[in-house]
Amino acid sequence: MNQVSVSKNLGKDIGERVRAHLIVVGFDDIVCNKYLPCIEKAVGSKFIDSYSIIELESQKINIEEKISHIKLKPTSVYYLPDPRRKGVYADLEDFEPIFKEIKKYKGKLKVYIATELKAHEGYLKYCIENNIDSLVEKPILAPMRDGQFDPTLIESAMRHLVNVAKKKSAKHSAMTLSRYHKIYNEKVLKPLEQKMIELDAPLTSFHLRYSGGVWNLHREYESREDHPYKYDYGMIMHGGYHYIDLAVQFLRLNKLIFPDSVFSLTISSYAAYPADQNDRIPKKFSENFDDNCPNWPSGSNSSKYGETDLVTTFCLRKKDTGKILTVGTISLEQTTPSIRMWKNLPSLVYNKNGRVSSVELEAQLSTLHSVNVHCFDVPNQNNQEIDRISAFARISRKTNASLLKGEEYNTEETHNGFFHSDSNRQLMTAWLRNEEYRSQLADHISTMRLVQYMAMSTRKQGYPITFDL
C-alpha cells in the first residue's frame, strides 16, 4: 500500500462512529492557511472527530514541515507514490486500501478533495460510487487524454457522476468563491433577483471582467505542478472558474421571467497564451527576472500551454423563438497588475506569483435598472512586506426613478476590509456541519458546460459555438 503514518491513534476511539472522520486529499498551503481553522472548529463542535491526510510521497518533507507548525495535528498521514502509469493521476490501487483502512476504524467518512486538478475526477468518482460525502475544489474535473486536457469530455463526465450520485445518499459539493460571497452573492445577486421579480424584467446585458494579477515566468510554466499551464488548461480551469460560475448564476436568473423556456448560448472567444507573453511584458522588467525568452517555447517544450488571458462575447437566446435576451462579455485575464517583485518562487507561500485581483461586473434589466460592482484586492504593506490582502467593493445602481416611484436615480454603497476567503470558509463550515446546499455537485452542471465550451472556443479563436445553457 506504500503508506507512512505520523500517528498510530487511528483506532483509538473505534467505538465512536457517529461523527465522521475527515480525509483531506492534498494538503497544500490553501488548506493550512484557509481551512484548518474551520476543521479545528468542526472538531471542537463535534461535527467531525478528527482528520487524516493523503499526499504524494514527493511532498513528504513539505507536509512534515507544515504539520510541525500547526496546532491540530492529523490522526494519520498517508503518502502515495507519484503517478506511475501514464494518464492515471489518482490511482485506485494506491488510495483505495487507505480509505478502506480508515473506514474500518472510523466508520463514517467525509472527504475533501484538494489535489491538483488532474486528480479530482478519480477521487470524486470513488466517493460517489462508495457513498462517501465529498467536497471537491474547483474546477470539479479536467478530463485528460494523452497527458493533455480535453475539454470535449467534461459534460459527459459530469453527467455520469451526477447520475450515479442521485442513486446514493451521500452529499457532494464543490468549493468555489461565488456561492457564499458577501458582495457577489449577498449584495448584488440576491437584490437583483428580487428586482427582476418585482419588475418582471429579464437580464438584458451582463459584463464581467476578472483581472487576476498573476505573473508567471516562462520557466515556471514549464516546471509548476500546482496551478500548471503545461497540461493545456489555463485561466478557465484555474481562478477563472469562480467567475464563470458567477456568470452562470446571473444568466440563470432569466428563468425567473421565462420559467418554461430553454436557453441557448452562443459564444465567441479570443485568447492569449504563455507563448505570447514575451511580447506583452516590457523587456526592462522581464529582463530583471531573467525572463526575456523570445524563442520560447522550443524543442521538447513546444507543446501547447493553457491560456493566460481570454475574452468571450456571448448572446443568450430563447431557443424556441430565437429571440435574444442577454448580450455580454466574460473576460478572464492574468496579465494585469501584480504585486510580484521576486525572481524565484518563495516556499511555503500560497500567493507565489503575486496575484492581486480586481473584478468589475455590470448587470442590466433593460431600460429600468442596472447594478455595477467593482471589487478589488487591497494589499496592506508593513515594513516593505505585504502581510495581508483585504478587499474593497463599490456597488452602484441606476434606476429609472421617473417610472419607479420611491426609487432613486443613482445610489452607491461601499464595503471595506473584508476577505474573499470568508466565502470559502463559510462553504467549508457549512459542509463540515452537513448544512451545505448552495454549491452541490448537480448545481454545477451548467457551469461546467460553459467551462467546456469556453475552453473549446479559445482554440477556435473567434469562431462562434452555440449550445444549450
Side-chain angles (χ1 to χ4, degrees):
M1 185 163 58
N2 198 347
Q3 70 177 51
V4 178
S5 174
V6 298
S7 172
K8 297 183 179 179
N9 296 324
L10 196 58
K12 183 176 66 174
D13 53 350
I14 189 170
E16 187 175 347
R17 296 182 180 272
V18 176
R19 287 180 284 155
H21 180 78
L22 175 65
I23 300 176
V24 179
V25 187
F27 196 70
D28 62 7
D29 296 322
I30 262 194
V31 178
C32 279
N33 297 332
K34 193 181 290 187
Y35 299 129
L36 261 184
C38 303
I39 295 172
E40 290 174 356
K41 289 180 180 178
V43 171
S45 301
K46 302 187 184 305
F47 285 100
I48 58 174
D49 69 354
S50 52
Y51 75 103
S52 294
I53 295 169
I54 296 177
E55 253 294 358
L56 296 176
E57 186 72 42
S58 60
Q59 298 300 310
K60 183 177 179 180
I61 294 176
N62 290 336
I63 298 303
E64 291 182 348
E65 173 67 16
K66 286 186 177 75
I67 291 173
S68 70
H69 291 96
I70 62 179
K71 180 180 178 181
L72 181 65
K73 309 293 185 187
T75 298
S76 295
V77 177
Y78 297 86
Y79 294 104
L80 303 178
D82 282 38
R84 294 164 294 179
R85 292 185 290 164
K86 185 176 180 180
V88 178
Y89 305 102
D91 201 320
L92 185 66
E93 293 180 8
D94 291 324
F95 74 77
E96 183 179 41
I98 297 174
F99 275 73
K100 287 183 174 180
E101 177 176 324
I102 298 174
K103 185 174 178 61
K104 175 182 176 182
Y105 291 110
K106 289 293 186 180
K108 186 177 181 181
L109 303 178
K110 292 176 76 73
V111 178
Y112 170 42
I113 303 166
T115 65
E116 208 290 308
L117 175 56
K118 301 186 300 298
H120 283 189
E121 187 175 357
Y123 286 104
L124 180 58
K125 182 174 183 287
Y126 180 86
C127 290
I128 289 173
E129 291 178 348
N130 289 276
N131 209 31
I132 300 170
D133 287 359
S134 74
L135 174 64
V136 61
E137 271 291 337
K138 58 75 192 167
I140 294 165
L141 50 83
M144 307 294 287
R145 180 179 290 175
D146 299 325
Q148 296 296 111
F149 172 49
D150 186 347
T152 64
L153 304 176
I154 287 177
E155 185 172 3
S156 59
M158 276 291 294
R159 288 204 173 276
H160 172 74
L161 292 175
V162 169
N163 287 337
V164 174
K166 287 178 181 177
K167 302 172 184 177
K168 309 281 187 176
S169 60
K171 304 298 182 184
H172 308 279
S173 295
M175 174 60 76
T176 182
L177 183 78
S178 56
R179 295 286 170 148
Y180 291 79
H181 199 277
K182 173 183 176 180
I183 301 301
Y184 307 136
N185 297 100
E186 305 300 328
K187 298 294 184 180
V188 179
L189 187 67
K190 284 186 178 180
L192 188 71
E193 178 179 354
Q194 295 167 1
K195 186 65 71 175
M196 290 176 69
I197 294 171
E198 173 193 335
L199 302 177
D200 196 28
L203 178 70
T204 51
S205 74
F206 178 82
H207 299 276
L208 186 153
R209 181 171 185 254
Y210 165 60
S211 303
V214 173
W215 193 345
N216 287 312
L217 309 184
H218 291 88
R219 57 183 176 271
E220 291 160 6
Y221 289 119
E222 297 173 350
S223 63
R224 290 192 71 174
E225 289 292 339
D226 59 322
H227 292 81
Y229 283 73
K230 61 185 177 181
Y231 300 108
D232 202 8
Y233 51 80
M235 277 291 284
I236 294 172
M237 303 301 287
H238 291 148
Y241 185 86
H242 296 302
Y243 305 100
I244 297 171
D245 185 42
L246 185 62
V248 168
Q249 291 175 68
F250 274 88
L251 293 176
R252 287 196 303 200
L253 291 177
N254 276 323
K255 277 287 185 181
L256 297 169
I257 311 303
F258 301 101
D260 299 322
S261 293
V262 175
F263 301 133
S264 68
L265 197 66
T266 300
I267 66 173
S268 180
S269 303
Y270 290 92
Y273 294 87
D276 303 312
Q277 180 166 305
N278 207 65
D279 289 335
R280 305 183 77 210
I281 296 179
K283 298 296 178 292
K284 67 178 181 178
F285 294 99
S286 61
E287 287 175 351
N288 287 337
F289 288 80
D290 300 326
D291 196 46
N292 184 6
C293 305
N295 298 316
W296 185 94
S298 62
S300 61
N301 295 321
S302 61
S303 61
K304 191 167 182 291
Y305 290 71
E307 75 288 341
T308 58
D309 306 78
L310 75 149
V311 176
T312 295
T313 60
F314 68 83
C315 69
L316 181 79
R317 289 184 173 91
K318 295 175 69 177
K319 192 174 180 179
D320 56 347
T321 65
K323 299 292 186 180
I324 292 176
L325 284 179
T326 313
V327 295
T329 55
I330 301 172
S331 176
L332 308 173
E333 301 177 37
Q334 168 181 301
T335 314
T336 59
S338 165
I339 59 171
R340 180 169 183 168
M341 58 178 291
W342 46 89
K343 285 185 181 181
N344 299 314
L345 296 179
S347 61
L348 301 178
V349 175
Y350 173 65
N351 189 14
K352 298 182 191 312
N353 44 30
R355 180 177 62 184
V356 56
S357 70
S358 172
V359 175
E360 298 173 78
L361 180 157
E362 182 160 293
Q364 299 191 101
L365 309 182
S366 63
T367 58
L368 300 174
H369 179 78
S370 72
V371 58
N372 177 286
V373 59
H374 186 193
C375 186
F376 55 90
D377 288 346
V378 181
N380 181 71
Q381 189 164 316
N382 184 13
N383 294 326
Q384 305 302 314
E385 296 290 334
I386 294 173
D387 59 1
R388 64 183 175 87
I389 300 178
S390 61
F392 174 88
R394 178 180 291 107
I395 302 171
S396 304
R397 292 181 173 87
K398 295 169 61 179
T399 303
N400 187 342
S402 300
L403 290 177
L404 306 177
K405 303 306 179 184
E407 299 277 1
E408 297 182 45
Y409 287 104
N410 297 283
T411 64
E412 184 174 287
E413 61 184 272
T414 59
H415 301 268
N416 199 4
F418 63 94
F419 298 89
H420 296 300
S421 57
D422 290 344
S423 64
N424 301 83
R425 291 190 184 97
Q426 192 174 348
L427 196 161
M428 172 65 80
T429 297
W431 178 74
L432 289 169
R433 295 169 64 98
N434 302 314
E435 298 171 354
E436 203 298 297
Y437 63 91
R438 296 190 193 179
S439 190
Q440 295 186 354
L441 185 67
D443 200 38
H444 282 263
I445 288 179
S446 295
T447 300
M448 289 299 287
R449 184 185 296 122
L450 180 52
V451 162
Q452 170 172 325
Y453 287 102
M454 284 181 69
M456 292 167 59
S457 179
T458 61
R459 302 176 182 201
K460 295 179 178 291
Q461 291 285 44
Y463 188 82
I465 298 177
T466 299
F467 55 96
D468 291 351
L469 184 63

